[in-house]
Amino acid sequence: MDFIGAYTPDHLLFLWNGFLITIYVAFISIILSFIFGLVAGTLRYAKIPIVSRVIAAAVETIRNLPLLLIIFFTFFALPEIGIKLEITAAAITALTIFESAMLSEIIRSGSSLQSVDKGQIEAARSSGLSYTQTLFLVVMPQALRRMVPPIVSQFISLLKDTSLAVVIALPELIHNAQILNGQSADGGYFFPIFALAAFMYFAVNYSLSLAARRLEARQT
């Protein structure tokens, strides 16, 4: 194990740049997937004729596909129908599609929107609130508080899943770690480089977990 050779300033900067790409792709994907997931989950909960069924079919299809396949499809198959995305955009698109489906199920499921007591919904409707007003003023505020732990867990998974984009040569953390490891003739960089990469993932994900616990504690 060559820690001195592995941890040169240039190597650390190269690894850090890959980490920044990981954070960037994860951040954009988290924002987009939360928006699309919230919309899809809410529409499924509302049980709008046809719309709910179409969304449900799309969500179930995506949830049962490997993320790696979606990444391959986004980068290699879409250009065949005239949609060509550069590597970063393709990774963000694939992660957003997959995570939106996962989040929509979390939002719609019994741990969130469906967990709100029906008595409160009936009381809100009987007091004169419309269905839409009841959804956004009564159901959604309570559901969002209960969604925090599972949604943060999904965001943590998303951050780790960015490493799968190495298959399309996204210059993220694992991609750059592999390049640095390849520069060691005897493989002496493997442990130092990948141990540091693991620490970077751990630091961010553990921080997210702590933040989620504090939010959950404040709400109880």
PDB file of all heavy atoms in Angstrom, residues 27-55:
ATOM      1  N   PHE A  27     -27.163  15.980  -6.533  1.00  0.00           N
ATOM      2  CA  PHE A  27     -27.981  17.121  -6.104  1.00  0.00           C
ATOM      3  C   PHE A  27     -29.058  17.449  -7.131  1.00  0.00           C
ATOM      4  O   PHE A  27     -30.240  17.605  -6.782  1.00  0.00           O
ATOM      5  CB  PHE A  27     -27.085  18.342  -5.865  1.00  0.00           C
ATOM      6  CG  PHE A  27     -27.845  19.576  -5.451  1.00  0.00           C
ATOM      7  CD1 PHE A  27     -28.321  19.701  -4.161  1.00  0.00           C
ATOM      8  CD2 PHE A  27     -28.074  20.594  -6.359  1.00  0.00           C
ATOM      9  CE1 PHE A  27     -29.034  20.833  -3.777  1.00  0.00           C
ATOM     10  CE2 PHE A  27     -28.786  21.734  -5.986  1.00  0.00           C
ATOM     11  CZ  PHE A  27     -29.262  21.857  -4.696  1.00  0.00           C
ATOM     12  N   ILE A  28     -28.661  17.561  -8.400  1.00  0.00           N
ATOM     13  CA  ILE A  28     -29.634  17.875  -9.452  1.00  0.00           C
ATOM     14  C   ILE A  28     -30.672  16.754  -9.565  1.00  0.00           C
ATOM     15  O   ILE A  28     -31.872  17.013  -9.699  1.00  0.00           O
ATOM     16  CB  ILE A  28     -28.932  18.083 -10.812  1.00  0.00           C
ATOM     17  CG1 ILE A  28     -27.944  19.249 -10.725  1.00  0.00           C
ATOM     18  CG2 ILE A  28     -29.964  18.334 -11.907  1.00  0.00           C
ATOM     19  CD1 ILE A  28     -28.561  20.575 -10.374  1.00  0.00           C
ATOM     20  N   SER A  29     -30.216  15.509  -9.482  1.00  0.00           N
ATOM     21  CA  SER A  29     -31.140  14.373  -9.587  1.00  0.00           C
ATOM     22  C   SER A  29     -32.107  14.335  -8.409  1.00  0.00           C
ATOM     23  O   SER A  29     -33.279  13.990  -8.576  1.00  0.00           O
ATOM     24  CB  SER A  29     -30.344  13.063  -9.649  1.00  0.00           C
ATOM     25  OG  SER A  29     -29.482  13.039 -10.764  1.00  0.00           O
ATOM     26  N   ILE A  30     -31.622  14.681  -7.224  1.00  0.00           N
ATOM     27  CA  ILE A  30     -32.488  14.708  -6.036  1.00  0.00           C
ATOM     28  C   ILE A  30     -33.592  15.749  -6.207  1.00  0.00           C
ATOM     29  O   ILE A  30     -34.770  15.471  -5.942  1.00  0.00           O
ATOM     30  CB  ILE A  30     -31.655  15.003  -4.772  1.00  0.00           C
ATOM     31  CG1 ILE A  30     -30.877  13.754  -4.343  1.00  0.00           C
ATOM     32  CG2 ILE A  30     -32.551  15.481  -3.620  1.00  0.00           C
ATOM     33  CD1 ILE A  30     -29.871  14.014  -3.237  1.00  0.00           C
ATOM     34  N   ILE A  31     -33.226  16.952  -6.642  1.00  0.00           N
ATOM     35  CA  ILE A  31     -34.218  18.015  -6.826  1.00  0.00           C
ATOM     36  C   ILE A  31     -35.266  17.606  -7.850  1.00  0.00           C
ATOM     37  O   ILE A  31     -36.479  17.695  -7.606  1.00  0.00           O
ATOM     38  CB  ILE A  31     -33.535  19.327  -7.278  1.00  0.00           C
ATOM     39  CG1 ILE A  31     -32.553  19.828  -6.216  1.00  0.00           C
ATOM     40  CG2 ILE A  31     -34.589  20.385  -7.587  1.00  0.00           C
ATOM     41  CD1 ILE A  31     -33.189  20.184  -4.902  1.00  0.00           C
ATOM     42  N   LEU A  32     -34.811  17.133  -9.003  1.00  0.00           N
ATOM     43  CA  LEU A  32     -35.743  16.769 -10.078  1.00  0.00           C
ATOM     44  C   LEU A  32     -36.596  15.569  -9.705  1.00  0.00           C
ATOM     45  O   LEU A  32     -37.805  15.552  -9.939  1.00  0.00           O
ATOM     46  CB  LEU A  32     -34.955  16.478 -11.363  1.00  0.00           C
ATOM     47  CG  LEU A  32     -34.222  17.670 -11.994  1.00  0.00           C
ATOM     48  CD1 LEU A  32     -33.423  17.217 -13.218  1.00  0.00           C
ATOM     49  CD2 LEU A  32     -35.211  18.763 -12.383  1.00  0.00           C
ATOM     50  N   SER A  33     -35.976  14.554  -9.109  1.00  0.00           N
ATOM     51  CA  SER A  33     -36.737  13.347  -8.770  1.00  0.00           C
ATOM     52  C   SER A  33     -37.754  13.616  -7.669  1.00  0.00           C
ATOM     53  O   SER A  33     -38.839  13.021  -7.659  1.00  0.00           O
ATOM     54  CB  SER A  33     -35.798  12.210  -8.361  1.00  0.00           C
ATOM     55  OG  SER A  33     -35.046  12.554  -7.220  1.00  0.00           O
ATOM     56  N   PHE A  34     -37.432  14.527  -6.746  1.00  0.00           N
ATOM     57  CA  PHE A  34     -38.415  14.865  -5.712  1.00  0.00           C
ATOM     58  C   PHE A  34     -39.620  15.569  -6.324  1.00  0.00           C
ATOM     59  O   PHE A  34     -40.768  15.268  -5.980  1.00  0.00           O
ATOM     60  CB  PHE A  34     -37.783  15.753  -4.643  1.00  0.00           C
ATOM     61  CG  PHE A  34     -38.751  16.133  -3.552  1.00  0.00           C
ATOM     62  CD1 PHE A  34     -39.128  15.209  -2.584  1.00  0.00           C
ATOM     63  CD2 PHE A  34     -39.297  17.403  -3.505  1.00  0.00           C
ATOM     64  CE1 PHE A  34     -40.037  15.542  -1.591  1.00  0.00           C
ATOM     65  CE2 PHE A  34     -40.203  17.749  -2.521  1.00  0.00           C
ATOM     66  CZ  PHE A  34     -40.574  16.822  -1.550  1.00  0.00           C
ATOM     67  N   ILE A  35     -39.354  16.498  -7.249  1.00  0.00           N
ATOM     68  CA  ILE A  35     -40.456  17.216  -7.901  1.00  0.00           C
ATOM     69  C   ILE A  35     -41.336  16.248  -8.689  1.00  0.00           C
ATOM     70  O   ILE A  35     -42.567  16.210  -8.518  1.00  0.00           O
ATOM     71  CB  ILE A  35     -39.907  18.320  -8.831  1.00  0.00           C
ATOM     72  CG1 ILE A  35     -39.221  19.412  -8.008  1.00  0.00           C
ATOM     73  CG2 ILE A  35     -41.037  18.915  -9.675  1.00  0.00           C
ATOM     74  CD1 ILE A  35     -38.472  20.434  -8.841  1.00  0.00           C
ATOM     75  N   PHE A  36     -40.713  15.446  -9.562  1.00  0.00           N
ATOM     76  CA  PHE A  36     -41.487  14.515 -10.388  1.00  0.00           C
ATOM     77  C   PHE A  36     -42.131  13.421  -9.542  1.00  0.00           C
ATOM     78  O   PHE A  36     -43.262  12.998  -9.799  1.00  0.00           O
ATOM     79  CB  PHE A  36     -40.588  13.891 -11.462  1.00  0.00           C
ATOM     80  CG  PHE A  36     -40.113  14.868 -12.493  1.00  0.00           C
ATOM     81  CD1 PHE A  36     -38.791  14.892 -12.902  1.00  0.00           C
ATOM     82  CD2 PHE A  36     -40.981  15.780 -13.058  1.00  0.00           C
ATOM     83  CE1 PHE A  36     -38.343  15.800 -13.840  1.00  0.00           C
ATOM     84  CE2 PHE A  36     -40.552  16.693 -14.006  1.00  0.00           C
ATOM     85  CZ  PHE A  36     -39.228  16.714 -14.395  1.00  0.00           C
ATOM     86  N   GLY A  37     -41.413  12.960  -8.528  1.00  0.00           N
ATOM     87  CA  GLY A  37     -41.960  11.930  -7.654  1.00  0.00           C
ATOM     88  C   GLY A  37     -43.145  12.426  -6.865  1.00  0.00           C
ATOM     89  O   GLY A  37     -44.135  11.710  -6.672  1.00  0.00           O
ATOM     90  N   LEU A  38     -43.056  13.682  -6.387  1.00  0.00           N
ATOM     91  CA  LEU A  38     -44.166  14.276  -5.637  1.00  0.00           C
ATOM     92  C   LEU A  38     -45.400  14.425  -6.517  1.00  0.00           C
ATOM     93  O   LEU A  38     -46.522  14.102  -6.095  1.00  0.00           O
ATOM     94  CB  LEU A  38     -43.745  15.639  -5.083  1.00  0.00           C
ATOM     95  CG  LEU A  38     -44.764  16.368  -4.201  1.00  0.00           C
ATOM     96  CD1 LEU A  38     -45.077  15.555  -2.950  1.00  0.00           C
ATOM     97  CD2 LEU A  38     -44.241  17.760  -3.815  1.00  0.00           C
ATOM     98  N   VAL A  39     -45.200  14.880  -7.738  1.00  0.00           N
ATOM     99  CA  VAL A  39     -46.320  15.029  -8.677  1.00  0.00           C
ATOM    100  C   VAL A  39     -46.938  13.672  -9.005  1.00  0.00           C
ATOM    101  O   VAL A  39     -48.162  13.497  -8.941  1.00  0.00           O
ATOM    102  CB  VAL A  39     -45.857  15.742  -9.972  1.00  0.00           C
ATOM    103  CG1 VAL A  39     -46.972  15.703 -11.023  1.00  0.00           C
ATOM    104  CG2 VAL A  39     -45.462  17.176  -9.674  1.00  0.00           C
ATOM    105  N   ALA A  40     -46.081  12.706  -9.342  1.00  0.00           N
ATOM    106  CA  ALA A  40     -46.580  11.375  -9.711  1.00  0.00           C
ATOM    107  C   ALA A  40     -47.284  10.705  -8.536  1.00  0.00           C
ATOM    108  O   ALA A  40     -48.359  10.110  -8.692  1.00  0.00           O
ATOM    109  CB  ALA A  40     -45.429  10.505 -10.205  1.00  0.00           C
ATOM    110  N   GLY A  41     -46.685  10.781  -7.350  1.00  0.00           N
ATOM    111  CA  GLY A  41     -47.283  10.156  -6.176  1.00  0.00           C
ATOM    112  C   GLY A  41     -48.610  10.783  -5.806  1.00  0.00           C
ATOM    113  O   GLY A  41     -49.561  10.094  -5.435  1.00  0.00           O
ATOM    114  N   THR A  42     -48.692  12.115  -5.918  1.00  0.00           N
ATOM    115  CA  THR A  42     -49.931  12.820  -5.598  1.00  0.00           C
ATOM    116  C   THR A  42     -51.030  12.481  -6.601  1.00  0.00           C
ATOM    117  O   THR A  42     -52.187  12.260  -6.219  1.00  0.00           O
ATOM    118  CB  THR A  42     -49.689  14.341  -5.581  1.00  0.00           C
ATOM    119  OG1 THR A  42     -48.664  14.650  -4.635  1.00  0.00           O
ATOM    120  CG2 THR A  42     -50.955  15.080  -5.194  1.00  0.00           C
ATOM    121  N   LEU A  43     -50.674  12.418  -7.877  1.00  0.00           N
ATOM    122  CA  LEU A  43     -51.669  12.080  -8.904  1.00  0.00           C
ATOM    123  C   LEU A  43     -52.176  10.650  -8.730  1.00  0.00           C
ATOM    124  O   LEU A  43     -53.367  10.373  -8.931  1.00  0.00           O
ATOM    125  CB  LEU A  43     -51.062  12.262 -10.294  1.00  0.00           C
ATOM    126  CG  LEU A  43     -50.818  13.711 -10.741  1.00  0.00           C
ATOM    127  CD1 LEU A  43     -50.123  13.741 -12.091  1.00  0.00           C
ATOM    128  CD2 LEU A  43     -52.142  14.480 -10.809  1.00  0.00           C
ATOM    129  N   ARG A  44     -51.281   9.744  -8.330  1.00  0.00           N
ATOM    130  CA  ARG A  44     -51.713   8.370  -8.074  1.00  0.00           C
ATOM    131  C   ARG A  44     -52.635   8.309  -6.863  1.00  0.00           C
ATOM    132  O   ARG A  44     -53.633   7.584  -6.863  1.00  0.00           O
ATOM    133  CB  ARG A  44     -50.508   7.460  -7.866  1.00  0.00           C
ATOM    134  CG  ARG A  44     -49.697   7.184  -9.112  1.00  0.00           C
ATOM    135  CD  ARG A  44     -48.624   6.151  -8.847  1.00  0.00           C
ATOM    136  NE  ARG A  44     -49.202   4.841  -8.563  1.00  0.00           N
ATOM    137  CZ  ARG A  44     -48.509   3.791  -8.138  1.00  0.00           C
ATOM    138  NH1 ARG A  44     -47.211   3.913  -7.918  1.00  0.00           N
ATOM    139  NH2 ARG A  44     -49.095   2.640  -7.918  1.00  0.00           N
ATOM    140  N   TYR A  45     -52.314   9.070  -5.841  1.00  0.00           N
ATOM    141  CA  TYR A  45     -53.147   9.098  -4.640  1.00  0.00           C
ATOM    142  C   TYR A  45     -54.526   9.673  -4.948  1.00  0.00           C
ATOM    143  O   TYR A  45     -55.541   9.205  -4.422  1.00  0.00           O
ATOM    144  CB  TYR A  45     -52.464   9.942  -3.567  1.00  0.00           C
ATOM    145  CG  TYR A  45     -53.320  10.196  -2.351  1.00  0.00           C
ATOM    146  CD1 TYR A  45     -53.445   9.234  -1.352  1.00  0.00           C
ATOM    147  CD2 TYR A  45     -53.996  11.408  -2.202  1.00  0.00           C
ATOM    148  CE1 TYR A  45     -54.246   9.459  -0.246  1.00  0.00           C
ATOM    149  CE2 TYR A  45     -54.789  11.654  -1.095  1.00  0.00           C
ATOM    150  CZ  TYR A  45     -54.914  10.675  -0.117  1.00  0.00           C
ATOM    151  OH  TYR A  45     -55.705  10.909   0.978  1.00  0.00           O
ATOM    152  N   ALA A  46     -54.549  10.693  -5.838  1.00  0.00           N
ATOM    153  CA  ALA A  46     -55.820  11.344  -6.181  1.00  0.00           C
ATOM    154  C   ALA A  46     -56.729  10.434  -7.001  1.00  0.00           C
ATOM    155  O   ALA A  46     -57.931  10.689  -7.108  1.00  0.00           O
ATOM    156  CB  ALA A  46     -55.539  12.633  -6.946  1.00  0.00           C
ATOM    157  N   LYS A  47     -56.164   9.380  -7.579  1.00  0.00           N
ATOM    158  CA  LYS A  47     -56.930   8.403  -8.354  1.00  0.00           C
ATOM    159  C   LYS A  47     -57.742   9.053  -9.476  1.00  0.00           C
ATOM    160  O   LYS A  47     -58.944   8.825  -9.629  1.00  0.00           O
ATOM    161  CB  LYS A  47     -57.847   7.584  -7.447  1.00  0.00           C
ATOM    162  CG  LYS A  47     -57.071   6.753  -6.431  1.00  0.00           C
ATOM    163  CD  LYS A  47     -57.996   5.945  -5.538  1.00  0.00           C
ATOM    164  CE  LYS A  47     -57.186   5.125  -4.528  1.00  0.00           C
ATOM    165  NZ  LYS A  47     -58.046   4.335  -3.622  1.00  0.00           N
ATOM    166  N   ILE A  48     -57.050   9.888 -10.238  1.00  0.00           N
ATOM    167  CA  ILE A  48     -57.686  10.511 -11.398  1.00  0.00           C
ATOM    168  C   ILE A  48     -57.833   9.451 -12.489  1.00  0.00           C
ATOM    169  O   ILE A  48     -56.869   8.764 -12.821  1.00  0.00           O
ATOM    170  CB  ILE A  48     -56.830  11.677 -11.925  1.00  0.00           C
ATOM    171  CG1 ILE A  48     -56.644  12.716 -10.820  1.00  0.00           C
ATOM    172  CG2 ILE A  48     -57.471  12.315 -13.149  1.00  0.00           C
ATOM    173  CD1 ILE A  48     -55.682  13.824 -11.174  1.00  0.00           C
ATOM    174  N   PRO A  49     -59.031   9.293 -13.050  1.00  0.00           N
ATOM    175  CA  PRO A  49     -59.252   8.266 -14.070  1.00  0.00           C
ATOM    176  C   PRO A  49     -58.222   8.350 -15.203  1.00  0.00           C
ATOM    177  O   PRO A  49     -57.863   9.431 -15.641  1.00  0.00           O
ATOM    178  CB  PRO A  49     -60.661   8.581 -14.582  1.00  0.00           C
ATOM    179  CG  PRO A  49     -61.323   9.266 -13.425  1.00  0.00           C
ATOM    180  CD  PRO A  49     -60.246  10.075 -12.774  1.00  0.00           C
ATOM    181  N   ILE A  50     -57.772   7.226 -15.646  1.00  0.00           N
ATOM    182  CA  ILE A  50     -56.803   7.057 -16.739  1.00  0.00           C
ATOM    183  C   ILE A  50     -55.417   7.567 -16.331  1.00  0.00           C
ATOM    184  O   ILE A  50     -54.421   6.834 -16.427  1.00  0.00           O
ATOM    185  CB  ILE A  50     -57.265   7.746 -18.044  1.00  0.00           C
ATOM    186  CG1 ILE A  50     -58.619   7.168 -18.494  1.00  0.00           C
ATOM    187  CG2 ILE A  50     -56.206   7.579 -19.129  1.00  0.00           C
ATOM    188  CD1 ILE A  50     -59.170   7.832 -19.737  1.00  0.00           C
ATOM    189  N   VAL A  51     -55.331   8.826 -15.870  1.00  0.00           N
ATOM    190  CA  VAL A  51     -54.033   9.414 -15.513  1.00  0.00           C
ATOM    191  C   VAL A  51     -53.340   8.584 -14.439  1.00  0.00           C
ATOM    192  O   VAL A  51     -52.158   8.254 -14.553  1.00  0.00           O
ATOM    193  CB  VAL A  51     -54.207  10.871 -15.026  1.00  0.00           C
ATOM    194  CG1 VAL A  51     -52.876  11.424 -14.521  1.00  0.00           C
ATOM    195  CG2 VAL A  51     -54.749  11.742 -16.149  1.00  0.00           C
ATOM    196  N   SER A  52     -54.085   8.235 -13.393  1.00  0.00           N
ATOM    197  CA  SER A  52     -53.512   7.450 -12.298  1.00  0.00           C
ATOM    198  C   SER A  52     -53.026   6.092 -12.778  1.00  0.00           C
ATOM    199  O   SER A  52     -51.972   5.607 -12.368  1.00  0.00           O
ATOM    200  CB  SER A  52     -54.536   7.276 -11.172  1.00  0.00           C
ATOM    201  OG  SER A  52     -54.847   8.519 -10.589  1.00  0.00           O
ATOM    202  N   ARG A  53     -53.792   5.476 -13.661  1.00  0.00           N
ATOM    203  CA  ARG A  53     -53.426   4.146 -14.159  1.00  0.00           C
ATOM    204  C   ARG A  53     -52.191   4.205 -15.043  1.00  0.00           C
ATOM    205  O   ARG A  53     -51.322   3.325 -14.973  1.00  0.00           O
ATOM    206  CB  ARG A  53     -54.602   3.537 -14.923  1.00  0.00           C
ATOM    207  CG  ARG A  53     -55.800   3.200 -14.041  1.00  0.00           C
ATOM    208  CD  ARG A  53     -56.874   2.494 -14.829  1.00  0.00           C
ATOM    209  NE  ARG A  53     -58.006   2.129 -13.968  1.00  0.00           N
ATOM    210  CZ  ARG A  53     -59.077   1.475 -14.380  1.00  0.00           C
ATOM    211  NH1 ARG A  53     -59.164   1.096 -15.663  1.00  0.00           N
ATOM    212  NH2 ARG A  53     -60.047   1.189 -13.539  1.00  0.00           N
ATOM    213  N   VAL A  54     -52.109   5.231 -15.868  1.00  0.00           N
ATOM    214  CA  VAL A  54     -50.946   5.383 -16.747  1.00  0.00           C
ATOM    215  C   VAL A  54     -49.685   5.615 -15.917  1.00  0.00           C
ATOM    216  O   VAL A  54     -48.631   4.997 -16.151  1.00  0.00           O
ATOM    217  CB  VAL A  54     -51.156   6.553 -17.738  1.00  0.00           C
ATOM    218  CG1 VAL A  54     -49.857   6.857 -18.487  1.00  0.00           C
ATOM    219  CG2 VAL A  54     -52.270   6.221 -18.716  1.00  0.00           C
ATOM    220  N   ILE A  55     -49.791   6.490 -14.920  1.00  0.00           N
ATOM    221  CA  ILE A  55     -48.651   6.767 -14.054  1.00  0.00           C
ATOM    222  C   ILE A  55     -48.260   5.525 -13.267  1.00  0.00           C
ATOM    223  O   ILE A  55     -47.073   5.204 -13.121  1.00  0.00           O
ATOM    224  CB  ILE A  55     -48.957   7.934 -13.097  1.00  0.00           C
ATOM    225  CG1 ILE A  55     -49.111   9.230 -13.890  1.00  0.00           C
ATOM    226  CG2 ILE A  55     -47.864   8.080 -12.048  1.00  0.00           C
ATOM    227  CD1 ILE A  55     -49.521  10.418 -13.056  1.00  0.00           C
TER     228      ILE A  55
END
